[in-house]
Amino acid sequence: MSGAMVAVPEFRLPLVPADLLREGGPGQYTVQEVLPVRDLPPALTAFRSAFRARGALAVLQHFDPMYSLLHHFQAVGTAVKEDALELMTRVVSHHSNELPAILGDSGLSHADRVAHLNALKMNCYLLTGLMDAFEMETCKSGLLENKKSRTKTSGSLWEEEREPILRLLTQLLQLDLRQLWGGFVVEEEFVSLMTGSSYRILENPGIGLQRYRATREAVTHLLAAALVHYDHMFNATLKITQMLQHFEHVAPVFAQAVSLWVKEYGLKSLVAELLREVGQKCPLDMAHDASVIKGYAVFVTELAEQIPALVLSNMSVLLCHLDGESYMMRNAILAAMAEVLVQVLNGDQLEEAARGTRDQFLTMLQAHVCDINSFVRSRVLQLFTRIVQCKALPLTWFQSVVSLAVERLKDKAVVVVKNAIQLLIAFLSNNPFSCKLGSTDLSEPLKKEVQKLQEMRDRNRTAAGPVITPEEEWEAMLPEVRAAIQQLFQPLQEEEEEVLEVEKTVESTLKQITGLLRKLNYKCAARLTQKALGRFRGKEPFSSLIEENEEATILGVLKRLYTGSCPGENSEDPPHGKSGLENEEAVPEEQSQTELVKQEMLVQYLQDAYNFSMKITEALSLISKLMYENSVSVVQEAIEFFVTVSQFGVSEALSGVRRMLPLIWSKEPGIKEAVLNAYRRLYLSPSGDSGRARVQHLVRSLSLIMVDASLGTIRCLEEIISEFVQKDEIEPAVIQLLWEQFTLKSQCSSLERRAAVMLLGMMAQGNPEIIGSNLDVLVTVGLSEKVCEDYRLAQEVCNAISKLARNTKQALGKNSTPFRLPQNHMLFGHLSEAVTKGFAQPSCHWIPFMEAAVTLIYQLAEGAEEICAHILQACSQQALEKLKEDDGQKADSGDSPSRVSDGASSLPTFLLMHLVSLVGQVALQQVAYLEVSVSAELRRRRMLRDEEKTKNRSDRSTKKKRPQSTGNETTMEEELGLTGATADDTEAELIRTVCETELLDGKHLLSAFVPLVLKICNNPGLYSDPGLSAAAALALGKVCMISSEFCDSHLRLLFTMMEKSSLPGVRSNLLIAAGDLAIRFPNLVEPWTSHLYARLRDPCPSVRKMAALVMTHLILKDMVKVKGQVSELAALLIDPEEAIVGVAQNFFTELSNKGNAIYNLLPDIISHLSDPNCSIEEESFHTVMRHLFSYITKDKQTESLVEKLCQRFRIARTERQYRDLSYCLTLLPISERGLQKLQDNFDCFADKLQDPAVYSCFQTVLARFRRAGSKLEAKALAEELEQKMSAAHNRGLDSAETCQKGSATPMPEPAKRKPTGSSRRQPLSTANRDEDFVTPQPRSLRNQQRAKKRPPPRKAIITFSSDENSSEDELSAELREEETPTKTTPITRSSARRLR
């Protein structure tokens, strides 16, 4: 072959392909002709033939056609491209297989070497050129992949061939190619050519996908070959850092590649070079380009995860970025530290230096928990979570990190709060202390062990006494010893010389020296030591201590001998006389010291556990408040936290578990499911040795929740349990145990028995058969003759049975017959008997039971009104009999405070209270029965009739084949008002007629009791019992629900009692009644709305809370117009009672969801609350405004409010109002348009800027605007406005000074502040005096005429003899007609009308 070789020009690798077309130097290869596209297939065939004949060297004559193919690659057909790729792959593979033999041939001629070198460079150039062309085509196809499906193109073949070609190039690079270059270094251009394609492949955005894993590995091994064999380190470092800047997707790829290079090829120095390059990047420059930062940040993070030890050794070069502006780089460095802590600096066996590094990293992580950027704070909390989960946090750091996490619960950023909760959950789940973290579980053992430790210390102190160690003795005698040694070098006396003789052995000499020291003969001891050093040279201890001079050597030997560190002192014959006794005492003393150390460690452990428990308890209150945040993720984490805390036995967690109950009604599916999962984990998966134990634990835990629970809590729990029942997650054994507890087959307390009935009722909400199949058991056991012993159990039994009506109604269709029991069912007999028997017995639980019983009768009984009428008659008969009986005994007994008496006759107060309560409940349930049950039954029957008629018509029309008649008949029925909405209206009118004309006429039993209710309400002096007054007030409200005419005629009495009654219970009950009446008769109650708002200022907190709840309900249901009085609700945001503040906050939160409601109300609220007569402190005003302005989030609302607030400066009259308005402006996020509004309305507030507080607020507005960052024009506008403000402020100060000097007119004084809190609540009598109380606008003229034409019906009256001599004029609380002013204006407070 060498003989046939022809000298060829040298092929130089070009920088760009066009360089091969230009004429080079002498002997340099140049492409002679670029073939057209049509000539490429034959040329390719010729090259294939030449390759078969000559092998890889064929390219020397056929390079130009292949170059031409690369030149026209876009225009060449797919088949030709694929053929060219296949051919060049075969050529390079063939050459690669030949090269080992050629390179090993020592007789290779220069011409052959040059030929093979040129062929290698040509073949590799063509193959890598084809690789780059195919890769570029694939990338372009990938960009269009999302828009349209890819077809079978050359790109699909390239993806299959890419990995084999990369392996081929790797195999080629692994050869010792330096022989082709004459034994010198392979030229850099060739290495760059071979690696360039690999880097271009990595530039493909899809290279990170799982299906390209083999390709990534092939690229990694190719680059590794270049790094190992061809000194590619420097170029690889530059290329990787450049690609990290421009391609975000390559960071994980390169991190994995570097990890492989380190582990398989030992290229550790590359890691140092890469991290040094990253560390040397200027933090300021990186802050301006987020894409650059992201690549570096991901690379550092991924690298630390895979090779943390190497990252640790190079961490110092990266620390500069912790102080940079880029939060992503800070996150990356901190994440790298965390990985190092988890994987490298973990465990108790670390060396001192490693411990120091670990503590430094933890300190840095702690410092960045308070980073200025919320993403960094959040990331650090995530890192600490990982560290804790991997158990890499030392115990000594627990308390400080937990404290930081608790502090971050107050963070404004939602993501930080979420991760702080996750960190606390991780601490709980991985705590090293105990499975029970309740404070009571830990405090008692701690106290016990602390006391034990103190006793041990006292005992040791008494036994040991003052102990002086040999070291302390030596320090005390050191000055004298040193002085004695210095005397050695002075002339000695002869007698001394004779005395000091060294013993024959080392041991005896040591004993002699030690004895002299014990006898305080320092001079002789030093002289003897000096001689021993000369005689026993090289023997211990005289050889081990060689100091700078002889004096220091002698001193060292004496110290060792005295302190006992010399081995010679441990000889059989101790030098000191008492040493044997000391050795005997040392053993028990050592043991006691060891026990003391163990006890101290135990106490420290318990103290750490107790401190940890206290921090968790502190976090409970903070996280409990976060449970109703707007962020779904925060709420979910809060729920998870309380579940985890509950599992660790923290008793305080029960309040949080209860607090999450209302979240079951959340509209967010994620939150609702989180609550269900929480209760599923807490209660449906209890621990126990047996199935029975687990069931008992579940029932006991659920019963514990219901202890002292509110009705709302019980309703929420009912929803959760019904969900579990519907999903069959409640075991039958649980239901069985509940029935056993109810029937007393299983031993339990009365509380547990009631809880069992409540739980059965909750389960019946999901499956009514649970109650329906055992109805007889419920009735016979729960409503037996012993019902008087526990009315609360009977009440819960009624509530449980009532689930039959509700659930059956929901389950059945509209046309199904409602579930009703016959009138003679034993249930109603038991209920009637229980109610009537308990009527004459004083019990505070009878009224709730009676209300539940009456409600159940109307829900389930056929002919419920007859049953209740019988109960009413029986109870009233008992009252009359009792009255007659008391009349006969009046002469024998005097009046009692518990009896109602006017001197003629008396009746027990509780009996009267029971009677009016029963009347009110029957009245209310009768209305509900008519409006709901009867109305639904009428509708159901009508629909059945309509369906029957429709079916009959269709049958007739089918027989007669005249379908057109159906439409005519339907039209006729619609005209007659028998279908659709008109029929509904007809039925509703029928119900209304019954209520208006029949229920309260003389024929109905209820009418007989109405005068009694009115009598009690009109005579608070005679009927002064608080319970009776409250019951009568509530009964009046319930009776008013029946008839609009009766309601209209007694509204004045109702609101008079609401204003004038001194009993909070009466006022609260009437508020509830007024709220119900506002929904049933809105037009009647609307003129009295101001009276409802007035209760928001009631001196009693319970009444204020009730008023807030009622007004919240009415406003959100659009039953009451939101007027200026809504400022009264805003004032509740600063109420002393937290519960009332919570109601007010909830109101405004719900109101903010109703469009622009708060935005529209804000100006009026500000005006009312800043009014001097409102008497709200300035700081309290700020608190209210901060809450309300938090709902203003839209830019247009902000701009409009800026303008409105500026214009209100014109009508403000006091300095306090100026300050309030200016403070409100500081709460708005001023935009550029908002700043323009300030500029446009500058004249409105210019004269107010003389007030320093006002001026300061406007300066705050401008400062906040500047911090937000804005355009140059906006900044110029801000500067101009600030200059105008400053000028107005200074001008105002100058004019004020002039005014004070030249005029006697005083400056306006600010309004006097009035105290807040309970003192600001004025008594009712002063707020609403009799002369201020006027009747609101009467009903329409039509209603007035109707009332005049129709005389009031005569009513049956029950007369009590005690009422005959009562003085109604003195005791009446209702205004008479002649006392009522004729001017009809709403109720207003006298203070609001007072002129300034």
Side-chain angles (χ1 to χ4, degrees):
M1 185 184 294
S2 60
M5 284 292 172
V6 179
V8 293
E10 179 187 1
F11 180 79
R12 293 186 179 179
L13 294 170
L15 294 176
V16 292
D19 290 348
L20 290 174
L21 299 176
R22 305 187 187 96
E23 290 291 337
Q28 185 174 341
Y29 184 86
T30 306
V31 175
Q32 302 299 321
E33 180 186 6
V34 178
L35 301 180
V37 176
R38 64 178 179 274
D39 296 339
L40 291 178
L44 194 62
T45 304
F47 181 28
R48 183 178 288 106
S49 301
F51 167 64
R52 292 193 190 101
R54 298 187 55 201
L57 296 180
V59 73
L60 298 174
Q61 283 76 36
H62 294 273
F63 179 81
D64 289 6
M66 298 303 297
Y67 177 87
S68 302
L69 187 144
L70 289 174
H71 188 77
H72 299 295
F73 190 83
Q74 298 296 331
V76 177
T78 301
V80 178
K81 296 177 187 177
E82 294 177 352
D83 289 344
L85 179 64
E86 181 186 2
L87 177 59
M88 288 311 305
T89 303
R90 291 174 56 195
V91 170
V92 174
S93 177
H94 180 77
H95 204 184
S96 176
N97 294 331
E98 283 185 341
L99 277 176
I102 295 171
L103 295 173
D105 186 3
S106 57
L108 183 66
S109 66
H110 176 73
D112 288 346
R113 181 180 64 79
V114 172
H116 280 286
L117 177 60
N118 285 340
L120 177 65
K121 290 197 286 188
M122 285 181 174
N123 287 330
C124 289
Y125 176 81
L126 292 173
L127 181 57
T128 55
L130 285 171
M131 291 173 65
D132 293 344
F134 274 108
E135 189 65 31
M136 189 176 298
E137 190 175 65
T138 303
C139 288
K140 290 181 179 178
S141 301
L143 295 176
L144 302 174
E145 188 174 354
N146 294 331
K147 298 181 181 179
K148 54 186 178 181
S149 61
R150 295 178 59 187
T151 57
K152 182 76 174 177
T153 63
S154 58
S156 57
L157 173 70
W158 167 239
E159 291 183 359
E160 297 172 2
E161 295 295 329
R162 185 164 49 188
E163 182 197 347
I165 294 174
L166 288 170
R167 287 204 301 267
L168 174 61
L169 295 180
T170 304
Q171 177 186 346
L172 187 61
L173 285 177
Q174 288 173 344
L175 301 175
D176 188 8
L177 299 178
R178 290 178 297 175
Q179 299 296 328
L180 293 179
W181 274 267
F184 299 103
V185 177
V186 176
E187 62 182 276
E188 189 176 325
E189 290 80 3
F190 179 77
V191 179
S192 299
L193 175 74
M194 299 292 282
T195 57
S197 298
S198 300
Y199 291 122
R200 289 188 190 90
I201 289 173
L202 294 180
E203 291 175 6
N204 187 342
I207 196 65
L209 299 177
Q210 181 63 26
R211 67 172 183 263
Y212 297 136
R213 179 180 178 183
T215 303
R216 292 197 304 272
E217 292 178 352
V219 170
T220 302
H221 287 292
L222 190 151
L223 294 176
L227 287 165
V228 173
H229 300 291
Y230 298 99
D231 196 19
H232 186 56
M233 182 84 67
F234 179 74
N235 289 340
T237 303
L238 293 180
K239 188 65 179 177
I240 290 173
T241 52
Q242 288 174 1
M243 291 183 69
L244 288 173
Q245 291 182 22
H246 298 98
F247 304 99
E248 293 182 6
H249 68 276
V250 300
V253 177
F254 275 130
Q256 189 174 5
V258 172
S259 173
L260 186 142
W261 294 338
V262 169
K263 295 175 182 177
E264 295 189 13
Y265 296 95
L267 296 171
K268 297 181 180 180
S269 57
L270 179 63
V271 177
E273 293 296 328
L274 287 170
L275 293 181
R276 187 177 294 109
E277 284 292 326
V278 175
Q280 289 175 352
K281 297 294 179 183
C282 179
L284 293 177
D285 296 340
M286 294 177 68
H288 301 300
D289 192 350
S291 61
V292 175
I293 299 168
K294 188 172 183 180
Y296 287 146
V298 174
F299 177 72
V300 171
T301 305
E302 296 271 349
L303 201 62
E305 291 178 2
Q306 300 186 34
I307 44 174
L310 283 178
V311 174
L312 170 60
S313 59
N314 295 277
M315 184 67 75
S316 58
V317 300
L318 298 173
L319 294 180
C320 59
H321 290 294
L322 282 180
D323 299 325
E325 294 185 12
S326 169
Y327 78 89
M328 283 191 285
M329 280 306 295
R330 295 204 296 278
N331 277 345
I333 307 303
L334 294 169
M337 288 182 178
E339 286 301 326
V340 170
L341 288 170
V342 169
Q343 299 188 44
V344 181
L345 302 177
N346 189 3
D348 299 330
Q349 309 301 322
L350 295 177
E351 297 179 357
E352 193 63 35
R355 279 202 193 92
T357 305
R358 178 196 67 189
D359 292 345
Q360 288 179 3
F361 284 2
L362 287 171
T363 302
M364 292 180 187
L365 285 168
Q366 274 191 331
H368 285 277
V369 171
C370 301
D371 195 281
I372 192 173
N373 190 286
S374 61
F375 292 109
V376 179
R377 300 196 298 272
S378 169
R379 181 62 175 149
V380 174
L381 292 170
Q382 288 178 346
L383 296 174
F384 268 122
T385 302
R386 172 163 161 71
I387 291 171
V388 172
Q389 289 173 342
C390 295
K391 303 187 185 303
L393 186 68
L395 187 60
T396 53
W397 288 82
F398 255 61
Q399 195 65 20
S400 59
V401 179
V402 170
S403 300
L404 285 173
V406 174
E407 284 298 318
R408 286 303 97 201
L409 293 174
K410 306 171 187 175
D411 203 291
K412 293 182 179 179
V414 170
V415 66
V416 178
V417 175
K418 171 188 171 184
N419 284 293
I421 299 175
Q422 288 180 343
L423 175 55
L424 290 171
I425 294 173
F427 268 118
L428 279 168
S429 303
N430 298 276
N431 84 86
F433 302 115
S434 171
C435 61
K436 294 294 183 183
L437 290 173
S439 56
T440 53
D441 296 329
L442 294 172
S443 59
E444 291 302 324
L446 177 61
K447 290 178 182 177
K448 181 180 177 182
E449 297 301 331
V450 167
Q451 184 178 358
K452 183 178 178 182
L453 175 63
Q454 189 62 39
E455 291 174 357
M456 291 176 66
R457 284 175 175 170
D458 294 341
R459 188 165 56 248
N460 285 358
R461 191 178 299 114
T462 304
V467 178
I468 301 176
T469 63
E471 288 79 7
E472 293 174 341
E473 291 182 0
W474 174 259
E475 291 297 328
M477 55 195 281
L478 184 60
E480 298 182 23
V481 174
R482 187 176 282 115
I485 294 174
Q486 291 173 355
Q487 293 179 7
L488 292 180
F489 304 99
Q490 298 177 3
L492 297 175
Q493 299 179 7
E494 293 182 1
E495 57 271 21
E496 289 181 343
E497 193 72 43
E498 294 175 357
V499 171
L500 292 174
E501 293 180 0
V502 180
E503 299 289 339
K504 295 180 180 180
T505 62
V506 175
E507 289 76 10
S508 58
T509 304
L510 293 177
K511 292 178 183 179
Q512 187 180 6
I513 295 172
T514 305
L516 290 171
L517 287 174
R518 299 288 183 190
K519 297 175 182 178
L520 308 181
N521 194 346
Y522 306 134
K523 187 174 180 180
C524 293
R527 177 73 65 184
L528 194 59
T529 304
Q530 185 183 27
K531 290 184 177 183
L533 283 171
R535 180 170 179 176
F536 301 111
R537 188 178 302 275
K539 296 184 180 181
E540 285 289 341
F542 303 108
S543 64
S544 59
L545 291 174
I546 305 299
E547 301 291 344
E548 298 176 358
N549 51 51
E550 190 178 1
E551 181 181 346
T553 303
I554 295 171
L555 189 63
V557 173
L558 291 174
K559 181 179 180 180
R560 288 187 64 187
L561 292 175
Y562 190 81
T563 57
S565 58
C566 176
E569 197 179 3
N570 297 328
S571 58
E572 296 178 1
D573 188 14
H576 198 280
K578 296 183 180 180
S579 59
L581 182 60
E582 289 177 354
N583 287 339
E584 292 175 4
E585 294 175 351
V587 175
E589 186 178 344
E590 236 175 77
Q591 291 177 351
S592 63
Q593 193 66 28
T594 304
E595 293 296 327
L596 182 63
V597 171
K598 289 182 179 179
Q599 187 65 21
E600 288 176 344
M601 293 174 65
L602 176 60
V603 169
Q604 185 61 48
Y605 173 82
L606 291 174
Q607 186 65 54
D608 290 341
Y610 181 76
N611 293 340
F612 179 73
S613 173
M614 287 296 99
K615 279 296 176 184
I616 295 299
T617 304
E618 180 184 347
L620 282 172
S621 60
L622 294 173
I623 297 178
S624 179
K625 298 175 183 176
L626 299 172
M627 210 174 285
Y628 290 88
E629 284 288 317
N630 294 328
S631 170
V632 176
S633 59
V634 169
V635 175
Q636 289 173 329
E637 293 299 336
I639 292 172
E640 177 66 22
F641 175 80
F642 275 104
V643 172
T644 307
V645 174
S646 300
Q647 292 172 340
F648 279 91
V650 180
S651 57
E652 293 84 356
L654 183 61
S655 62
V657 173
R658 280 186 178 179
R659 186 173 168 80
M660 75 173 73
L661 275 170
L663 293 174
I664 192 65
W665 309 108
S666 174
K667 297 178 182 177
E668 291 287 344
I671 293 179
K672 182 176 180 179
E673 190 59 33
V675 175
L676 287 173
N677 285 333
Y679 275 81
R680 187 176 290 117
R681 289 167 55 190
L682 287 174
Y683 299 108
L684 295 190
S685 305
S687 59
D689 298 332
S690 63
R692 179 76 175 181
R694 287 197 300 272
V695 169
Q696 289 175 341
H697 179 78
L698 186 151
V699 172
R700 193 181 306 112
S701 300
L702 289 175
S703 302
L704 189 62
I705 293 184
M706 292 185 290
V707 175
D708 298 330
S710 64
L711 290 176
T713 299
I714 292 174
R715 181 67 188 91
C716 296
L717 188 61
E718 181 180 33
E719 179 68 15
I720 292 175
I721 291 180
S722 67
E723 287 270 354
F724 291 155
V725 171
Q726 291 171 9
K727 296 176 182 178
D728 292 329
E729 296 184 43
I730 302 275
E731 298 179 21
V734 176
I735 302 174
Q736 180 65 31
L737 178 61
L738 292 174
W739 282 114
E740 290 177 5
Q741 288 187 351
F742 170 66
T743 56
L744 293 179
K745 292 181 180 178
S746 176
Q747 190 67 28
C748 64
S749 64
S750 58
L751 285 174
E752 291 174 331
R753 193 182 183 198
R754 280 202 301 273
V757 179
M758 294 172 69
L759 288 172
L760 287 171
M762 293 175 182
M763 294 175 184
Q765 183 79 9
N767 181 12
E769 279 301 310
I770 294 175
I771 294 295
S773 59
N774 294 277
L775 180 59
D776 294 346
V777 176
L778 271 174
V779 174
T780 54
V781 176
L783 300 175
S784 64
E785 296 179 354
K786 297 182 179 180
V787 68
C788 300
E789 298 176 4
D790 193 351
Y791 281 118
R792 286 182 290 181
L793 177 65
Q795 178 187 351
E796 297 304 334
V797 168
C798 293
N799 292 335
I801 298 175
S802 67
K803 300 298 190 300
L804 290 175
R806 298 174 190 173
N807 285 276
T808 308
K809 177 183 174 183
Q810 294 171 1
L812 298 177
K814 290 184 178 180
N815 297 337
S816 302
T817 305
F819 178 75
R820 290 272 169 180
L821 294 173
Q823 189 173 341
N824 59 355
H825 193 277
M826 68 171 182
L827 167 65
F828 308 119
H830 280 74
L831 285 175
S832 300
E833 183 181 353
V835 172
T836 53
K837 183 181 292 185
F839 176 78
Q841 300 175 3
S843 173
C844 58
H845 302 298
W846 181 85
I847 292 179
F849 161 68
M850 175 272 299
E851 292 176 345
V854 171
T855 303
L856 181 61
I857 291 171
Y858 273 101
Q859 285 177 338
L860 289 181
E862 294 281 1
E865 62 276 8
E866 296 179 11
I867 299 175
C868 290
H870 171 72
I871 294 174
L872 263 177
Q873 289 173 343
C875 292
S876 58
Q877 185 63 35
Q878 289 185 55
L880 289 173
E881 291 175 358
K882 186 69 174 176
L883 191 61
K884 293 177 181 178
E885 178 185 341
D886 289 347
D887 287 342
Q889 298 177 355
K890 183 188 173 186
D892 302 330
S893 61
D895 292 343
S896 171
S898 62
R899 308 174 76 85
V900 178
S901 172
D902 62 350
S905 59
S906 62
L907 192 67
T909 302
F910 80 88
L911 211 60
L912 205 53
M913 183 168 61
H914 285 184
L915 185 60
V916 295
S917 298
L918 178 61
V919 170
Q921 185 66 9
V922 171
L924 180 64
Q925 292 304 319
Q926 182 68 37
V927 174
Y929 173 70
L930 291 171
E931 293 282 355
V932 178
S933 301
V934 175
S935 178
E937 180 63 12
L938 290 174
R939 188 182 304 111
R940 185 187 70 83
R941 293 179 181 181
R942 170 172 53 82
M943 292 176 69
L944 287 175
R945 289 195 302 270
D946 292 346
E947 288 178 3
E948 187 67 26
K949 290 180 181 178
T950 304
K951 183 179 180 180
N952 293 337
R953 280 197 304 268
S954 65
D955 292 343
R956 288 197 304 269
S957 61
T958 302
K959 293 177 181 178
K960 297 180 180 180
K961 296 183 179 181
R962 294 192 309 182
Q964 65 272 14
S965 62
T966 304
N968 296 333
E969 292 175 4
T970 304
T971 303
M972 185 180 298
E973 287 188 356
E974 289 177 353
E975 290 176 356
L976 293 174
L978 299 177
T979 61
T982 307
D984 289 339
D985 292 341
T986 303
E987 293 163 359
E989 185 61 31
L990 173 63
I991 300 296
R992 280 196 294 270
T993 302
V994 172
C995 292
E996 293 286 345
T997 60
E998 296 183 13
L999 291 186
L1000 291 179
D1001 67 358
K1003 299 178 182 179
H1004 200 279
L1005 183 62
L1006 279 176
S1007 60
F1009 298 95
V1010 172
L1012 173 62
V1013 175
L1014 294 176
K1015 182 77 171 179
I1016 297 173
C1017 293
N1018 275 305
N1019 295 274
L1022 178 61
Y1023 305 97
S1024 58
D1025 182 78
L1028 177 59
S1029 300
L1034 195 57
L1036 175 62
K1038 291 178 178 179
V1039 174
C1040 285
M1041 292 286 289
I1042 298 176
S1043 163
S1044 61
E1045 183 177 351
F1046 181 86
C1047 176
D1048 191 23
S1049 60
H1050 293 89
L1051 270 180
R1052 183 174 51 173
L1053 170 61
L1054 189 145
F1055 281 100
T1056 301
M1057 294 172 65
M1058 188 190 298
E1059 294 286 343
K1060 300 293 183 66
S1061 176
S1062 60
L1063 301 174
V1066 173
R1067 301 201 297 275
S1068 295
N1069 281 353
L1070 289 174
L1071 273 169
I1072 298 172
D1076 293 339
L1077 290 172
I1079 294 175
R1080 181 158 174 78
F1081 306 121
N1083 293 334
L1084 297 180
V1085 180
E1086 194 274 335
W1088 300 87
T1089 304
S1090 58
H1091 291 245
L1092 295 176
Y1093 278 109
R1095 291 304 92 222
L1096 296 170
R1097 301 186 305 276
D1098 196 281
C1100 179
S1102 62
V1103 179
R1104 289 203 305 278
K1105 181 180 178 181
M1106 185 57 65
L1109 289 171
V1110 170
M1111 294 310 300
T1112 296
H1113 182 70
L1114 294 178
I1115 292 173
L1116 295 180
K1117 294 292 183 182
D1118 295 323
M1119 301 308 299
V1120 169
K1121 293 181 180 178
V1122 185
K1123 300 179 181 178
Q1125 295 102 321
V1126 77
S1127 60
E1128 301 289 352
L1129 272 167
L1132 295 183
L1133 291 168
I1134 54 170
D1135 196 276
E1137 299 291 329
E1138 287 187 12
I1140 299 176
V1141 173
V1143 173
Q1145 289 176 344
N1146 181 64
F1147 165 73
F1148 284 106
T1149 300
E1150 295 296 327
L1151 190 62
S1152 65
N1153 298 327
K1154 297 173 72 69
N1156 299 326
I1158 293 184
Y1159 161 75
N1160 295 329
L1161 293 170
L1162 254 180
D1164 288 336
I1165 294 176
I1166 294 171
S1167 296
H1168 281 82
L1169 295 185
S1170 61
D1171 190 285
N1173 292 325
C1174 189
S1175 70
I1176 287 186
E1177 287 282 354
E1178 198 164 349
E1179 188 59 39
S1180 300
F1181 176 85
H1182 292 177
T1183 303
V1184 173
M1185 289 301 114
R1186 278 196 300 271
H1187 185 84
L1188 294 181
F1189 273 84
S1190 65
Y1191 298 109
I1192 305 299
T1193 56
K1194 300 178 182 177
D1195 291 340
K1196 290 186 177 180
Q1197 292 180 349
T1198 301
E1199 296 161 13
S1200 179
L1201 276 176
V1202 169
E1203 186 172 15
K1204 289 182 178 180
L1205 290 172
C1206 289
Q1207 291 174 356
R1208 282 188 177 262
F1209 275 99
R1210 294 186 182 276
I1211 59 175
R1213 294 179 297 277
T1214 64
E1215 292 183 8
R1216 162 68 189 278
Q1217 290 175 319
Y1218 305 157
R1219 293 195 300 270
D1220 289 346
L1221 290 171
S1222 58
Y1223 177 78
C1224 291
L1225 284 171
T1226 65
L1227 299 175
L1228 291 169
I1230 303 295
S1231 62
E1232 190 173 343
R1233 290 184 179 180
L1235 193 69
Q1236 187 63 52
K1237 296 285 186 183
L1238 284 176
Q1239 180 80 293
D1240 297 342
N1241 294 276
F1242 180 77
D1243 293 340
C1244 298
F1245 58 84
D1247 57 328
K1248 315 298 188 299
L1249 292 172
Q1250 61 180 332
D1251 189 318
V1254 176
Y1255 181 64
S1256 174
C1257 288
F1258 278 94
Q1259 283 184 316
T1260 302
V1261 171
L1262 290 179
R1264 186 172 299 167
F1265 176 78
R1266 290 194 186 94
R1267 283 198 301 269
S1270 53
K1271 301 177 182 177
L1272 292 177
E1273 297 82 358
K1275 290 182 178 178
L1277 182 63
E1279 292 291 339
E1280 179 186 352
L1281 181 59
E1282 185 175 23
Q1283 292 175 3
K1284 292 171 65 176
M1285 286 168 45
S1286 178
H1289 176 63
N1290 296 329
R1291 183 169 60 250
L1293 292 179
D1294 296 341
S1295 62
E1297 292 176 0
T1298 305
C1299 181
Q1300 289 177 357
K1301 290 179 181 179
S1303 173
T1305 305
M1307 295 292 288
E1309 296 181 1
K1312 294 181 180 179
R1313 300 178 184 177
K1314 297 184 180 180
T1316 57
S1318 59
S1319 61
R1320 70 181 175 88
R1321 304 288 181 183
Q1322 300 296 328
L1324 291 177
S1325 58
T1326 58
N1328 296 283
R1329 298 192 301 272
D1330 287 348
E1331 57 268 24
D1332 295 330
F1333 194 94
V1334 296
T1335 305
Q1337 180 105 18
R1339 300 176 67 190
S1340 63
L1341 183 59
R1342 176 179 59 82
N1343 291 338
Q1344 290 180 357
Q1345 292 173 350
R1346 185 179 65 184
K1348 290 179 181 178
K1349 291 179 180 179
R1350 185 173 60 205
R1354 300 185 64 181
K1355 303 173 183 177
I1357 301 175
I1358 296 179
T1359 304
F1360 292 89
S1361 57
S1362 60
D1363 296 338
E1364 293 177 358
N1365 300 324
S1366 62
S1367 176
E1368 295 187 6
D1369 293 338
E1370 294 177 358
L1371 301 175
S1372 177
E1374 180 182 2
L1375 298 181
R1376 296 188 297 273
E1377 288 293 335
E1378 59 270 16
E1379 292 178 328
T1380 305
T1382 56
K1383 184 178 180 182
T1384 56
T1385 57
I1387 294 178
T1388 54
R1389 290 175 294 160
S1390 58
S1391 58
R1393 304 204 314 268
R1394 189 180 299 124
L1395 296 176
R1396 294 175 179 80

